[in-house]
Amino acid sequence: MSPTGCRRASNDATGRTVRRCLPTAKMAASGSCVLWSYCGHGWSRVMWCCRLPGFRSSWPGGPLGARHLSEEKRATETHFGFETVSEEEKGGKVYQVFESVAKKYDVMNDMMSLGIHRVWKDLLLGKMHPFPGTQLLDVAGGTGDIAFRFLNYVQAQHQRKQKRQLRAQQNLSWEEIAKKYQNEEDSLGGSRVMVCDINKEMLKIGKQKARAQGYKAGLAWVLGDAEELPFDDDKFDVYTIAFGIRNVTHIDRALQEAHRVLKPGGRFLCLEFSQVNNPLISRLYDLYSFQVIPVLGEVIAGDWKSYQYLVESIRQFPSQEEFKEMIEDAGFQKVTYESLTSGIVAIHSGFKL
Amino acid sequence: MATLLRRALRPFPPLQGPPGPAADVPLRAASHGAGLLYPEHIPTSPLQKALLAAGSAGMALYNPYRHDMVAVLGETTGRRALKVLRDQMRRDPEGSQILQERPRISLSTLDLGKLQSLPEGSLGREYLRFLDVNRVSPDTRAPTRFVDDEELAYVIQRYREVHDMLHTLLGMPTNILGEIVVKWFEAVQTGLPMCILGALFGPIRLSAKSLQVLVSELIPWAVQNGRRAPCVLNLYYERRWEQPLRALREELGITDPPCMSRAWPRP
């Protein structure tokens, strides 16, 4: 499946992925600081931590001259947290992680981030600033946090617009009045959100939440893979992916799919954990991540390993600048990012023009 | 202070195997093959153990159905007591055999047909009856994860699997009162902090009447028998299935439990 208007062949993006894996071997083999700068900044801290016997044993580790051949072999391997797995395996393992955390996903989010994740998601909606009539695709949106916020936002916008109309002493047409009495009025003004997730359990929890909180209109749930979306080209005004893209095996493919399904003029928004820019906060953050979060996972959800994967996968994700370049490679323009909470998360935005 | 912090954060160095990774960050590094002492092992730093101990204790009190939390509490707080137990086992001939042969009690290792065919009153038959009446299975025990020594991990696993045998030996059912009595017995026998905490805090959720019976009759009986009996982990139960339960109780000095009808008001 190749998207229309295909950009650079995925080799480069894959090549970049491969290059990310390689430095580990080189570093393990030689341990020299010179090679770290070659890996890209996002990796420098991970490399410092990664003097791992485990990694050493997983690479055949030839000298630099023999790297050409081993590049192809490594092309099918990727990271799962700090573990190295084949690309086929990764999808299945990530699926299992989210299947097991689905029930306690929201509780754990609140516990781990001390409720701050709600602020981040609100900020994402603020940046999106949707107006009534927007068609949103929320990928990896399992439990529906972004979708519900979107619905609230456009509903509030719609109400505000109506109030403004009334205040300006514009008379409502008799059709609008009749609709109001019959409760047929579309309180969302034509906005729709499609929640797409690869994991059935997460979607199930999302649907339960929607039922419990009374969200019905303008909401659809679809099972689908971010790397191969089940939608036509040029369909959506906005594409969001919140805390999901780091779990995708081929991020470049997901970005290309995002570009495909957006209408011209459509916007890509990504909320994701990123690199902390302040060294002191970074140390505290690492301490908290690795010491406290798996313990919270064990005590509250009875699941240490999934939360260990979570904090490791955050470290494996590219930095703000690198991710910005990946988004540009997929064909988006006017790509910007905004770091929140000292870079713990970042919102990346791009337009399909 | 920085060095103290670093020590608290480094995972406990395994007794065999390669040295663990430096500094605070990727403790799981060791769990990818190298550094694992046994299949389910998760290396943890002292800080993580402390947090786990506190968290699991709180969660076990808050939700008594979280048996996995009780298990985690036992693993994270029991290092010293486990060493004492292990040394006790080494000194005893039957105990050291257990340490060498590492028998496990699970549905796959038990020969249920053979146990069923044993005479009434034998240990095996009574154990089977206990499993049936209380609708429990030996396979519901969580594997050890947070103990940083492979032999001690086996000792605590053995302790968990022997817990059901203790119910049979003491004649206690698996309701909350019975569990507390067995916990008192185990606390005296093993000295595991988790047993002591369970024995002290378990009765919190009991009614006044049960509490009275517990304190006046059951606890003194359990403590007396716990003191008198030799270490129950030293018994190779798998070789004693045919032994009559009564004879085994005499051997261990366990007297009959207090009168059933009076002893079991609804908790």
Side-chain angles (χ1 to χ4, degrees):
Chain A
M1 182 231 79
S2 97
T4 53
C6 176
R7 310 292 298 179
R8 254 184 277 165
S10 51
N11 256 345
D12 279 359
T14 322
R16 223 182 248 134
T17 315
V18 172
R19 249 179 271 141
R20 275 203 199 88
C21 295
L22 275 182
T24 321
K26 289 195 296 237
M27 209 214 74
S30 68
S32 113
C33 299
V34 170
L35 293 169
W36 292 358
S37 55
Y38 177 79
C39 317
H41 301 293
W43 274 72
S44 56
R45 195 182 40 251
V46 181
M47 289 303 104
W48 164 69
C49 308
C50 276
R51 279 183 297 261
L52 307 169
F55 267 116
R56 230 174 262 140
S57 59
S58 63
W59 295 115
L64 286 179
R67 195 178 41 144
H68 186 65
L69 273 174
S70 26
E71 242 187 72
E72 280 141 21
K73 209 170 9 160
R74 270 148 220 181
T76 56
E77 283 185 326
T78 180
H79 50 79
F80 177 74
F82 288 161
E83 221 181 308
T84 310
V85 299
S86 73
E87 286 182 348
E88 294 92 35
E89 268 187 292
K90 174 158 180 176
K93 289 181 96 122
V94 171
Y95 192 95
Q96 278 170 355
V97 165
F98 282 94
E99 199 176 34
S100 92
V101 304
K103 290 207 177 73
K104 299 270 172 129
Y105 186 73
D106 295 314
V107 171
M108 283 301 298
N109 280 347
D110 277 329
M111 290 281 130
M112 292 190 290
S113 67
L114 307 169
I116 302 178
H117 75 106
R118 298 167 185 241
V119 176
W120 293 330
K121 287 169 181 161
D122 289 336
L123 287 173
L124 177 70
L125 259 295
K127 194 160 182 136
M128 192 198 302
H129 196 47
F131 51 84
T134 303
Q135 309 292 308
L136 170 67
L137 172 65
D138 182 26
V139 177
T143 53
D145 278 344
I146 303 292
F148 300 154
R149 282 177 170 76
F150 171 79
L151 291 173
N152 291 341
Y153 200 101
V154 292
Q155 197 167 36
Q157 291 278 75
H158 192 71
Q159 281 170 350
R160 235 176 281 147
K161 175 173 143 207
Q162 290 205 315
K163 266 207 202 129
R164 267 202 307 267
Q165 280 182 328
L166 288 174
R167 236 182 275 144
Q169 308 228 314
Q170 272 178 317
N171 289 320
L172 294 177
S173 72
W174 68 265
E175 282 143 341
E176 283 171 340
I177 296 176
K179 268 204 222 144
K180 251 209 171 105
Y181 276 112
Q182 291 164 19
N183 284 332
E184 260 177 29
E185 182 203 13
D186 183 3
S187 63
L188 300 173
S191 322
R192 300 278 175 275
V193 55
M194 188 85 81
V195 180
C196 178
D197 200 293
I198 199 173
N199 194 299
K200 286 196 198 98
E201 282 304 313
M202 297 288 281
L203 280 178
K204 206 164 86 171
I205 303 289
K207 284 188 208 169
Q208 280 170 4
K209 268 171 68 178
R211 233 174 296 143
Q213 294 175 24
Y215 292 102
K216 262 192 291 201
L219 187 56
W221 306 85
V222 176
L223 189 69
D225 184 347
E227 295 183 22
E228 214 174 315
L229 289 171
F231 304 111
D232 283 331
D233 302 1
D234 306 336
K235 271 210 80 185
F236 297 98
D237 297 310
V238 185
Y239 173 111
T240 52
I241 183 165
F243 302 119
I245 203 161
R246 72 176 188 285
N247 298 306
V248 171
T249 312
H250 300 104
I251 298 180
D252 51 322
R253 286 188 209 164
L255 293 172
Q256 283 164 2
E257 277 294 274
H259 192 267
R260 179 180 71 81
V261 300
L262 277 173
K263 291 183 195 159
R267 188 175 196 183
F268 167 87
L269 281 168
C270 172
L271 174 66
E272 190 53 82
F273 289 109
S274 205
Q275 311 286 343
V276 178
N277 34 42
N278 180 320
L280 172 66
I281 298 190
S282 169
R283 285 217 59 168
L284 287 173
Y285 179 52
D286 283 346
L287 188 77
Y288 179 73
S289 294
F290 284 93
Q291 301 294 320
V292 179
I293 286 184
V295 173
L296 276 180
E298 177 64 34
V299 172
I300 297 178
D303 192 347
W304 177 285
K305 297 207 162 162
S306 296
Y307 290 91
Q308 185 78 43
Y309 161 74
L310 165 74
V311 296
E312 290 178 2
S313 67
I314 293 176
R315 299 301 175 297
Q316 299 288 61
F317 193 70
S319 66
Q320 285 89 328
E321 274 298 323
E322 272 185 73
F323 190 49
K324 171 173 171 221
E325 283 167 30
M326 289 172 82
I327 300 176
E328 281 168 349
D329 281 343
F332 290 100
Q333 299 182 17
K334 292 273 177 233
V335 180
T336 57
Y337 62 82
E338 185 188 338
S339 293
L340 306 172
T341 327
S342 305
I344 295 183
V345 303
I347 300 180
H348 281 76
S349 157
F351 289 91
K352 173 176 177 175
L353 295 176
Chain B
M1 213 225 66
T3 44
L4 273 178
L5 187 64
R6 203 159 290 139
R7 272 236 312 269
L9 297 173
R10 207 174 306 143
F12 196 95
L15 296 184
Q16 317 116 329
D24 20 289
V25 184
L27 296 176
R28 193 202 186 190
S31 73
H32 296 309
L36 275 191
L37 300 168
Y38 45 92
E40 293 287 327
H41 187 206
I42 297 179
T44 41
S45 66
L47 174 61
Q48 282 179 317
K49 287 206 176 64
L51 291 173
L52 266 177
S56 60
M59 184 53 100
L61 272 179
Y62 174 71
N63 182 356
Y65 292 101
R66 290 290 301 271
H67 299 300
D68 58 326
M69 288 290 102
V70 178
V72 167
L73 182 62
E75 288 170 29
T76 49
T77 54
R79 192 171 180 87
R80 201 175 299 165
L82 284 176
K83 281 201 180 130
V84 167
L85 268 179
R86 192 254 319 260
D87 294 339
Q88 246 186 349
M89 285 175 83
R90 275 193 187 151
R91 285 196 292 266
D92 179 272
E94 212 173 334
S96 59
Q97 235 182 355
I98 296 175
L99 279 179
Q100 271 173 353
E101 291 172 24
R102 306 270 176 104
R104 298 287 301 265
I105 303 178
S106 73
L107 280 179
S108 51
T109 55
L110 288 177
D111 187 353
L112 291 176
K114 178 167 157 260
L115 291 181
Q116 187 85 294
S117 65
L118 288 173
E120 284 289 315
S122 64
L123 177 64
R125 195 74 187 75
E126 293 305 309
Y127 174 62
L128 211 57
R129 174 173 296 140
F130 164 79
L131 290 180
D132 283 332
V133 165
N134 292 280
R135 283 186 292 237
V136 292
S137 146
D139 284 347
T140 52
R141 302 284 160 202
T144 316
R145 280 173 302 161
F146 301 112
V147 177
D148 290 326
D149 178 319
E150 188 242 351
E151 201 172 22
L152 298 181
Y154 174 73
V155 172
I156 202 171
Q157 190 75 44
R158 181 76 183 163
Y159 151 74
R160 275 186 208 151
E161 289 170 1
V162 157
H163 178 82
D164 289 340
M165 311 283 336
L166 288 182
H167 271 281
T168 316
L169 272 178
L170 297 174
M172 293 286 130
T174 51
N175 55 24
I176 191 163
L177 210 51
E179 292 290 351
I180 294 175
V181 175
V182 177
K183 270 284 167 292
W184 274 91
F185 183 85
E186 286 174 346
V188 172
Q189 280 260 313
T190 63
L192 280 168
M194 175 262 281
C195 298
I196 298 175
L197 287 172
L200 291 174
F201 287 99
I204 281 181
R205 289 172 175 260
L206 286 179
S207 68
K209 196 165 179 214
S210 312
L211 208 54
Q212 200 213 4
V213 174
L214 186 70
V215 170
S216 61
E217 293 185 16
L218 295 171
I219 290 183
W221 172 78
V223 171
Q224 224 178 23
N225 283 282
R227 282 222 173 103
R228 197 167 36 216
C231 180
V232 286
L233 282 183
N234 282 335
L235 297 176
Y236 208 133
Y237 295 99
E238 288 87 341
R239 300 220 177 117
R240 292 171 177 251
W241 292 130
E242 294 92 8
Q243 186 176 10
L245 189 56
R246 191 153 282 282
L248 184 57
R249 278 188 182 152
E250 265 179 47
E251 187 183 328
L252 296 176
I254 293 177
T255 55
D256 284 335
C259 176
M260 295 299 273
S261 57
R262 258 192 328 141
W264 305 121
R266 298 177 69 77

